[in-house]
Each structure stands twice: as C-alpha cells, then as structure tokens.
Amino acid sequence: MSKSFRGRLLAAIFSAGAASAFAAPAGAETLADAIALAYETNPTLQSQRALQRALDENYVQARSGFRPTLGLSASTSTAETRTPRFARGTDLNNDGVPDVFPSTSGISDRDSSSLGLSFSQPIWTGGRVTAAVSAAQADILQGRENLRRVEAQILATVIQAYVDVRRDQESLRIRQENVSVLGRQLQESQARFDVGEITRTDVAQSQARLAAAQATFSSAQAQVAISRAAYAALVGQNPQNLAPEPSLAYLLPTDPDQAFTIAEQYSPQLRAQQFAEQASRARVAGARAERMPSVTVRSGLTFGASTNDPFERELYSRELSAVATVTVPLFSGGLVSSRIRQSVERNNAERITVETTRRTVLQNITQLWSQLLASRASIGSSAEQVRAARIAAEGTRQEQQVGLRTTIDVLNAEQELRQAELTQVSARRDEYVAAANVLAVMGRLEARNLTPTVPQYDAASNARKLRITWGWVPWEEPIAIIDRVLTLAPAPAPTAKPTEPAIPPGLQPPPSVATGAAVRR
C-alpha cells in the first residue's frame, strides 16, 4: 500500500466515522463483498500463499537426489623457472645430463591446461532420498492445511470486523437518539421549572444525564472510527453502507456432537498436526537410511596438455573414465545412532501432539458452542427486555405528566431502555461471531462455502506444475522405485486427505435486502 493511498484511506476513516453511520450511498455493501475482496487482496493471506509456493520447492529439491549432476571444469597454468648463473651446466637432477647449459639464459617456461566434463548418477541411496521426498510431501500437505487455517482466521476476522462496524454504528444511533431525548427532557424540565412545577434539582438531574449522554456519544463516535479502521485494514477499503449480515445456519451443524465429528475429519489445525507427524516419521526413516550402503555411477572426460603451445591440439591428452562406487558406512562414532534416537523421540512428540491438538480443537468447539447458545439466549431475553423497557419508559413519561412520577423516574426509565437496546445489539453481534468461530475451528469457514462464485485459489496447482520441471530426467522414476523397493523400512508416502464437499448456496442477503435491491433495479 502506497503512502498516498494509506493517507487517503486513514483520512477517510476518521472523517467519515460519524457521518457514515447514518448517511449511506444507495447501494449496500454485503458481507459476501467484503469476504471476496479480503480473499483476493488481504496481505496476510497473500503472504501465506507465497510461503506455500516456496514450500512446494522442497519437493523438487528432495527429488533432485534421484537426478544426475553434470559439471564442467577448466584450468590453465603457467610456470617460469630461473636457474642461477653459477648452476648452469650442472646436473641438477643427477641424470647425467646438464640441466642448464652455460650459454642459455637460465629461464624455462612450462604451460599446462585441462578441460574436464564430469557426470554423476545415484543408482541407490539406501532410502535416503525416498525418505526426504516423503518428508517434503508431508511438509507441503501440512502447509496447505496451515493455509486453510490462516484463510479461516482471516475470514473470521473479516466477519467480526463487519459486524463490529454494524454494532458500533447502531450503538452510535442509539446514543444519538438518547442525546436527543435527554435534550428534549431538559427543555421540558426547564419550562416546568420556570412555571414552578418542579425544583432546581430536577433541572440539574436532567442536565447531568444529558452531559453524560453527550460524553458516551463522543466515545461511540471514536469506537466507530476504530471499527472502521480495523475493517479497512482487513478488507482494503472503507466500509460503506453495510447490509445486514446473512445467516450462517446452512453451514452450522445441528448439535455439538456433529460439530465434533466434522472437526475431527476436516479441522485444519488437527490435519496439519497429523501431516507434521507423518513428516517426522519420514525423517526417522531417513535417519535409519544413513546406515545403508549407496551406489553411485560416475564418469568423466578430461582433455589436458603440458606444452609451451596451448593451441596445439595434437599435444593434448584425453582421458575417459567410468566408475561405479559402492559406499558402505561402517563406523561414525555413534553419530548416526544418536540421530536415529533423536528423530524417533521427535516423532513421539509429534504423535503425542496430535492427541493434544485433537483435544484442543474439541475444547474450542465446546467453548464456542456454549458461547453461541448463550448469545442466542441473550438475544431472546434482550428482545423481551427492550419491549418491556420501551413500554415502561412510555408509561413513566405519561405518569409524569399527571404528577405520578418524578423527573428522575423518567431519566432512569430512558436509561434502562437505551441500555436494553445496546445489550440487544451486542448479543446479536456475539451470536454471529461465535457462529463464525465455530465454523473456523470445524474447517468450514472457507471462501468456497461463503462466496462460491468468486474464483478460488488452488494451493495444489503450483505443486502440480513442479512435478515435471527443469532438471527432470526420464530415468528418474525407475531409480525412485529402486530406492523405495530396496529400502528395509521405507516411510509411507503421504497422500492428501479428502476434503469436505462445498456446501451451497453461499452467503445470501437477507430477504429484506434482496427485495430492496430488486426494487432499485
């Protein structure tokens, strides 16, 4: 995000904080619109996708252990030998022939050059590369589940930001209405005081309540600005006229037992930990493979010459070599055994963590489901509270007109009504957020379930492209089969777990919003 855009965005957030709560454009922005925009532009989600594409490269790097390596080397050197004058004509190497005659200069040059091409092909690695490939596959599958988890977190946060803005705007409306009512109450109290019907105390009480209401109205304005800023940071644009949030009932299970069953099958946290255990199990096989022999074929072609004329091709020698090497580890000072024990204990820890994660997921569902039920009960009770408080406030005002109630009774009744309305707004928000969090833990809070018409990001497409890419050779597959078949205890190749089918129809606007849109069209 550029600085200029960031400045405009923040300026719009604070300048439109209060006005947008009541004045909105003709078109309504839906929750599906916000989710679709965040799904495409949220930087946290885009960063996680880039990390997943980087993780896909681990598979290519692991498979390179089955592939040949080809190298080219070239060298050239020159040497100059100077013999002192007194040593000329002497036999320096005792071969019976003078090395330097007195009449020569005593300077000799020797040039050498070589050009080599080397080729190396592993035939059998004892299961080392097979284990590395299995570990890379498990790491990639774990990364995809982590991507699902991050996506669910982002979408849950977007939903929370959406309903927070709506809650705070509605709270601001209630606070403004409270200021207006208390303002009229103060005017009425002042008029009645002027004619001697009430005392100065009644006027002071009205003034105090109005001042408190104005203070809370200012706080509500600030809270709207804060909520709008959080929304803009997630979605990438300021909230406009937010439509009522659609129902999530089509995604929610009927009871917590069904939620437990779905979470054990599709929870991204649990599945990621299961793939982490498979990766550590593959690394145990890789550590044990260090005790196994390995077979490698190497060949080389070298051209070399030692002459004063490096461009004389007839003077170059040529050497062609082919070597099959069998390497058998015999003694490593206990290093391999220590690595095996270490990898086994790490695998034990990962396997135990699977159960820990499963219990944590079920605990989270229990807590969130309880919050969901409590919020639903609060919605019902708060609706009844608002109904009763509205009747009580109206009755208190009428009774004040005939002298049965005092000013403070009217003020208290108005305060109870506003508090009941605020409680009702908060209960609706809490119920919706709890439902979204339940879906996130279960693994159902995904864009394909919420906005199926938006193009979905396929985390596996990049990995499929890397299956056969630069560096692949035709004989790689049979070598991989040999390496797996001749391994005593190969690690099982991890496979992707089945995904839950998409659940239609996606987020649908409430009937009132849909009808209004049809009328506008």
Side-chain angles (χ1 to χ4, degrees):
M1 181 183 295
S2 65
K3 292 184 178 180
S4 59
F5 178 73
R6 180 178 59 189
R8 292 195 302 269
L9 184 60
L10 292 177
I13 290 172
F14 290 105
S15 64
S20 63
F22 309 107
E29 180 180 352
T30 65
L31 179 58
D33 297 333
I35 288 177
L37 186 57
Y39 185 75
E40 295 176 357
T41 64
N42 184 268
T44 302
L45 190 54
Q46 290 180 326
S47 174
Q48 190 66 29
R49 291 169 181 169
L51 291 176
Q52 180 60 33
R53 292 192 294 271
L55 189 62
D56 292 340
E57 298 294 340
N58 286 354
Y59 178 79
V60 179
Q61 297 169 14
R63 293 280 299 189
S64 65
F66 293 134
R67 299 169 182 175
T69 57
L70 186 65
L72 179 66
S73 62
S75 64
T76 180
S77 63
T78 180
E80 180 183 270
T81 304
R82 292 177 177 269
T83 304
R85 183 180 297 276
F86 69 86
R88 298 174 189 174
T90 60
D91 185 5
L92 299 178
N93 54 7
N94 297 319
D95 60 355
V97 179
D99 295 289
V100 182
F101 293 96
S103 59
T104 63
S105 63
I107 300 175
S108 62
D109 295 327
R110 183 178 181 84
D111 299 327
S112 63
S113 58
S114 65
L115 179 66
L117 185 66
S118 61
F119 175 85
S120 177
Q121 173 63 62
I123 301 299
W124 180 52
T125 68
R128 296 171 179 83
V129 177
T130 297
V133 171
S134 297
Q137 289 175 325
D139 288 339
I140 291 171
L141 294 175
Q142 180 189 4
R144 292 178 189 173
E145 296 301 327
N146 288 330
L147 178 59
R148 287 184 61 221
R149 175 181 56 82
V150 171
E151 177 185 334
Q153 290 176 348
I154 294 298
L155 297 186
T157 308
V158 169
I159 290 174
Q160 179 176 338
Y162 188 95
V163 296
D164 281 350
V165 172
R166 282 184 44 79
R167 176 202 61 187
D168 295 336
Q169 289 179 344
E170 182 65 14
S171 298
L172 182 61
R173 183 196 63 79
I174 294 172
R175 298 292 188 187
Q176 187 182 48
E177 183 178 352
N178 190 38
V179 170
S180 300
V181 171
L182 292 178
R184 292 193 300 268
Q185 180 64 36
L186 177 58
Q187 294 174 358
E188 181 181 347
S189 298
Q190 185 66 47
R192 296 181 64 189
F193 172 75
D194 293 339
V195 298
E197 292 184 7
I198 59 176
T199 65
R200 172 66 66 181
T201 303
D202 295 312
V203 177
Q205 290 172 342
S206 299
Q207 291 173 338
R209 289 296 176 89
L210 177 59
Q214 290 172 340
T216 55
F217 176 73
S218 298
S219 298
Q221 285 180 313
Q223 184 58 47
V224 168
I226 293 172
S227 299
R228 288 171 58 84
Y231 179 95
L234 289 167
V235 178
Q237 69 179 19
N238 291 318
Q240 303 300 324
N241 180 26
L242 300 186
E245 54 274 6
S247 174
L248 296 175
Y250 73 100
L251 293 175
L252 286 171
T254 57
D255 55 64
D257 288 338
Q258 186 180 3
F260 293 153
T261 302
I262 296 172
E264 287 182 330
Q265 293 180 340
Y266 303 112
S267 170
Q269 295 94 325
L270 182 56
R271 287 164 63 133
Q273 184 56 42
Q274 290 170 345
F275 284 125
E277 189 276 332
Q278 293 183 23
S280 68
R281 196 188 318 164
R283 292 184 173 93
V284 172
R288 288 173 175 165
E290 294 297 328
R291 290 176 171 174
M292 302 295 293
S294 61
V295 179
T296 305
V297 174
R298 296 182 178 88
S299 62
L301 177 62
T302 304
F303 294 90
S306 178
T307 175
N308 290 334
D309 187 2
F311 299 102
E312 185 63 36
R313 291 185 299 175
E314 288 77 5
L315 300 179
Y316 273 76
S317 62
R318 185 180 66 178
E319 178 183 356
L320 179 64
S321 62
V323 180
T325 304
V326 179
T327 304
V328 181
L330 297 178
F331 181 69
S332 62
L335 177 61
V336 174
S337 298
S338 176
R339 287 176 176 172
I340 292 175
R341 293 192 298 270
Q342 183 184 54
S343 59
V344 167
E345 294 304 328
R346 286 177 175 171
N347 179 248
N348 290 336
E350 296 289 355
R351 188 176 64 255
I352 295 171
T353 306
V354 170
E355 177 62 20
T356 303
T357 305
R358 187 184 70 85
R359 296 183 182 184
T360 301
V361 168
L362 298 184
Q363 178 189 10
N364 291 337
I365 289 181
T366 302
Q367 293 175 346
L368 294 170
W369 192 272
S370 300
Q371 293 176 9
L372 179 61
L373 296 180
S375 300
R376 288 175 176 174
S378 179
I379 290 175
S381 60
S382 62
E384 178 62 22
Q385 182 184 4
V386 169
R387 185 194 66 80
R390 185 172 289 115
I391 294 174
E394 181 62 27
T396 303
R397 284 193 296 269
Q398 293 177 1
E399 291 173 359
Q400 184 199 25
Q401 300 298 327
V402 296
L404 298 179
R405 295 284 184 173
T406 64
T407 301
I408 192 63
D409 293 331
V410 175
L411 295 176
N412 289 338
E414 288 291 341
Q415 183 177 9
E416 291 176 0
L417 174 59
R418 304 309 169 199
Q419 187 59 47
E421 292 175 340
L422 292 172
T423 301
Q424 184 181 40
V425 171
S426 296
R428 290 172 179 170
R429 176 264 182 199
D430 294 342
E431 189 270 342
Y432 204 83
V433 171
N437 288 331
V438 168
L439 295 175
V441 176
M442 289 170 50
R444 281 188 172 179
L445 197 67
E446 298 180 314
R448 63 193 185 95
N449 289 331
L450 301 176
T451 55
T453 58
V454 175
Q456 305 297 307
Y457 179 80
D458 185 6
S461 62
N462 182 69
R464 289 193 294 267
K465 296 177 182 177
L466 297 177
R467 181 62 183 86
I468 298 179
T469 184
W470 171 254
W472 181 86
V473 291
W475 58 88
E476 173 184 333
E477 303 300 331
I479 291 178
I481 295 174
I482 293 173
D483 197 64
R484 177 171 290 276
V485 170
L486 298 183
T487 301
L488 297 180
T495 56
K497 296 180 179 294
T499 59
E500 186 179 21
I503 303 175
L507 293 178
Q508 299 295 322
S512 59
V513 177
T515 303
V519 171
R520 286 193 299 270
R521 287 196 295 268

